[in-house]
Amino acid sequence: MDLNKNRLSQIFTPDYIAEFMVKNINQYYISTNNESNFDEIKILEPCAGEGVFIEYILGEGFTDITAYELDQSLKTHLLESYPNVDLKFENFLGSDSNEKYDIIIGNPPYLGQNYNAKIFQELVKNYSVCKKYFVGNMDLFYFFIHLGIDKLKPGGLLSFITTNYWLTKSNKTGIKLLKPHITKDCFLLQYIDLSNINVFTDAKGQHNCIFILQKKHEKEKQKIVDKLIDIIQIKRINNQFNEKSNKMLFKDILNNEDSPHLLKYRSAITNKDLLPNNGWNLKYPLAVKNHVEKIETNCRFNGSLLYLSDFFVIRNGLILIKDEIFVLKENESLKIVDSDMFIKIDNTFVKLSDHEKQKLKKMFKSKVIEPFSYDKNEISGYLIYLDKNEFKNQDLKKRNEFIEKGYPNLTAYLNHYREELEDILRNANENVNDIYFPRRGSMITQFDIEHKRKLVNLEPYYDKEPKIFFSYISKSNVFGYTKDSYYATSDTYFLWLREGKSEIDYLFLLAYLNSKIVNFLFKAKNIILKRSKTKLEEEIPIPNISLFQSQSQLELINLIRYITSNLTQNIVSIDKTKLNKLQELFPNIYSQILNEKNSRKKIDILLLNLFDLVEEDIDFLLEKYY
Ligand SMILES: C[S@@+](CC[C@H](N)C(=O)[O-])C[C@H]1O[C@@H](n2cnc3c(N)ncnc32)[C@H](O)[C@@H]1O
């Protein structure tokens, strides 16, 4: 593809997809509109390419077709192939929003704003629709949706094939104007998730979707009418998809045939649930929703759902000026002989005093995090952790002198890199005198009961308080735990208890977070951690343990705590006398626990019973939908 084509984002749609989309929208149009005279139906293809959509639109018997294409090199081909189509070789984004259509269909160009800022600047300068709807981080096809919506007649339909990332994005990520525009003016009628198949051979790894929007009538906007959303999910079975099987699948969808590769259902989310500023979790079958709600009944306090953020402040670990300098690697810049430590300064190893040794902290990378624990043997190095607060009352000049006196070898080592460290701080607009300290992550702001701000020093917590932590990138629920000294950088998130929340039951919470129940919630709520913890904080409901009052529930909780506590210490055996009460109260669960070797699964059995959930039902839903 040459540069110019790349700019135009010219990836043509396979025949069978275009055929499917045209027939599919036609079916929707017929079922939602009275118009049966195809000559009266005005159709728009905003970015025709070689005309694959036009071909099938004509094939369906439509006659009133308008199409735009910016690439002049396609002009002759299009004019010769489609003499009866109103072809416009100009920028669609400059077209008049007052020209209205019944159906708009196509594959708009995808182009991220981040890497193509200049192109977007030009568009904003030249076209009012771009000026109106521009936001950072957006994609070019958002403009096509905006203008498409404006050009639809009330009741009219728009169907595009696009990448699917925009659906799960929230406010800050480029959809700030797109979702409000869609929810105000349209209903989403259908969503087809193509993320399990490869549609565009030139764009492998891209996740796509097809969707249909319907423009609201004025009275529908005012009366706040709701509509259901049809979902089609294509299942991945043995990765055996190719063009031939894709074609069959799309035929099956059109003909409403059952296929082991297809899931068709109405989303439990309806149009009224589509929030203008949030991610849309459309793949949400009713059976899944019912289970989520059942879990949530145990997570309420005074009627409101409890979330992680009600108990914890979640923060990254430490951000250092430069990891390679601050984290000493054993046998490189650090030597450990028995309990003595030596730091390498100017090619000589110098022994550290006990006082200095205390300022070297074991550092771990997020890859060591395991459910309930972490791999203690995988230390990534020893972090130099000097605390600014220790010298708080000194003026700046003197402060560094004091630190140098207190920690002569550590500071001598750091001074070796002084220029580099100062440069980094200077470039980041930070105080160049702070070269001895972590940049962030050693303090958090807390608010006490009277909402007074208070800075909390985290060193004692990193050193020896109970801590739950997890990796900043993860598809599933893996939460580590320790009371040992555990320091990490920004690839790890820590759960710091909020002021006044001392009643949290760490062991029970840890069991729950690592459970099959939370694994199910991750899938059901489409939670994937990608350097953002917002979904986790705001969407994982946390059990209200005080709701469990019966003797048998309390016994289940005791056992969950007991096995979890063992797991955090890597103890897998169970003291059988601990199970006496269980045997009496739940002979069934007792024998399940005895037969189960895996401690995690034992905890799952107990938790599922506590939540009154049936494991097979959860497994069935996970298998069927995810
Ligand atoms: C992703 S391709 C799809 C083409 C065709 N609809 C198909 O599905 O095969 C997008 C097409 O839009 C054209 N295009 C890009 N920007 C355009 C614009 N602002 N106005 C009209 N066409 C544009 C490109 O030249 C390209 O042919």
Side-chain angles (χ1 to χ4, degrees), residues 38 50 81 100 187 227 264 365 386 397 456 527:
F38 277 20
E50 293 176 333
S81 311
K100 306 284 179 190
F187 298 111
K227 286 201 181 187
K264 287 179 267 179
K365 284 266 153 220
L386 295 171
K397 259 244 152 77
V456 178
I527 295 178

Side-chain angles (χ1 to χ4, degrees), residues 288-523:
V288 170
K289 182 185 183 202
N290 289 340
H291 272 75
V292 169
E293 285 180 351
K294 190 158 183 192
I295 295 166
E296 289 179 344
T297 52
N298 300 305
C299 303
R300 290 188 184 277
F301 179 75
N302 282 345
S304 310
L305 272 172
L306 296 170
Y307 290 106
L308 262 184
S309 59
D310 291 315
F311 297 94
F312 293 98
V313 178
I314 303 184
R315 288 281 180 273
N316 289 104
L318 294 151
I319 298 179
L320 309 172
I321 308 176
K322 188 168 180 182
D323 289 4
E324 292 79 356
I325 296 174
F326 275 81
V327 183
L328 308 175
K329 301 257 181 218
E330 209 177 330
N331 299 327
E332 289 174 28
S333 43
L334 187 74
K335 237 190 339 209
I336 304 178
V337 183
D338 301 325
S339 62
D340 290 333
M341 286 179 151
F342 302 84
I343 190 167
K344 191 167 161 188
I345 307 170
D346 241 351
N347 275 328
T348 358
F349 279 96
V350 186
K351 187 171 167 187
L352 296 176
S353 66
D354 282 349
H355 182 56
E356 288 197 278
K357 257 170 34 190
Q358 274 171 20
K359 293 292 160 190
L360 290 190
K361 314 283 189 179
K362 283 182 190 168
M363 271 270 315
F364 296 91
K365 284 266 153 220
S366 66
K367 65 174 192 287
V368 308
I369 300 173
E370 296 167 355
F372 301 93
S373 181
Y374 66 104
D375 185 348
K376 296 181 172 56
N377 302 317
E378 279 282 327
I379 299 171
S380 72
Y382 288 78
L383 155 77
I384 301 178
Y385 187 103
L386 295 171
D387 177 8
K388 222 187 266 183
N389 283 301
E390 200 182 323
F391 311 94
K392 208 164 50 200
N393 299 323
Q394 310 294 335
D395 74 58
L396 264 188
K397 259 244 152 77
K398 285 215 182 109
R399 184 191 69 180
N400 280 6
E401 281 170 26
F402 267 94
I403 303 168
E404 283 153 15
K405 235 185 243 157
Y407 303 98
N409 297 311
L410 297 180
T411 50
Y413 164 84
L414 289 173
N415 272 322
H416 217 71
Y417 302 98
R418 174 177 280 273
E419 244 174 67
E420 192 180 347
L421 295 172
E422 284 182 349
D423 265 356
I424 297 172
L425 289 173
R426 201 172 293 117
N427 282 335
N429 247 339
E430 290 172 33
N431 188 342
V432 289
N433 286 308
D434 285 348
I435 55 160
Y436 298 139
F437 314 110
R439 285 165 75 183
R440 270 183 278 287
S442 47
M443 297 279 212
I444 42 167
T445 311
Q446 290 275 30
F447 293 90
D448 63 17
I449 315 164
E450 287 149 16
H451 302 287
K452 278 214 192 99
R453 253 172 87 98
K454 172 173 141 185
L455 274 180
V456 178
N457 177 13
L458 292 176
E459 188 175 358
Y461 294 90
Y462 285 124
D463 274 344
K464 50 180 175 300
E465 296 288 322
K467 299 169 274 292
I468 296 180
F469 41 83
F470 59 94
S471 168
Y472 74 150
I473 296 180
S474 171
K475 278 190 182 163
S476 62
N477 54 321
V478 176
F479 292 85
Y481 172 86
T482 187
K483 280 189 204 169
D484 301 339
S485 173
Y486 187 101
Y487 285 73
T489 52
S490 54
D491 69 351
T492 299
Y493 278 115
F494 286 88
L495 267 58
W496 303 122
L497 206 57
R498 283 190 188 278
E499 276 284 301
K501 294 285 178 189
S502 51
E503 76 275 18
I504 195 82
D505 186 328
Y506 265 99
L507 291 175
F508 181 75
L509 180 71
L510 184 66
Y512 170 75
L513 288 175
N514 281 304
S515 69
K516 186 174 252 179
I517 296 177
V518 170
N519 182 259
F520 172 74
L521 291 174
F522 261 58
K523 301 271 162 54

Side-chain angles (χ1 to χ4, degrees), residues 8-13 45-53 68-71 74 90-93 106-110 123 140 144:
L8 292 166
S9 179
Q10 233 168 34
I11 293 187
F12 297 134
T13 312
E45 195 331 359
C47 43
E50 293 176 333
V52 63
F53 281 93
Y68 287 78
E69 175 52 58
L70 202 50
D71 182 359
L74 294 167
E90 58 198 70
N91 196 319
F92 166 65
L93 299 173
N107 172 11
Y110 321 151
L123 290 170
L140 184 57
F144 280 70

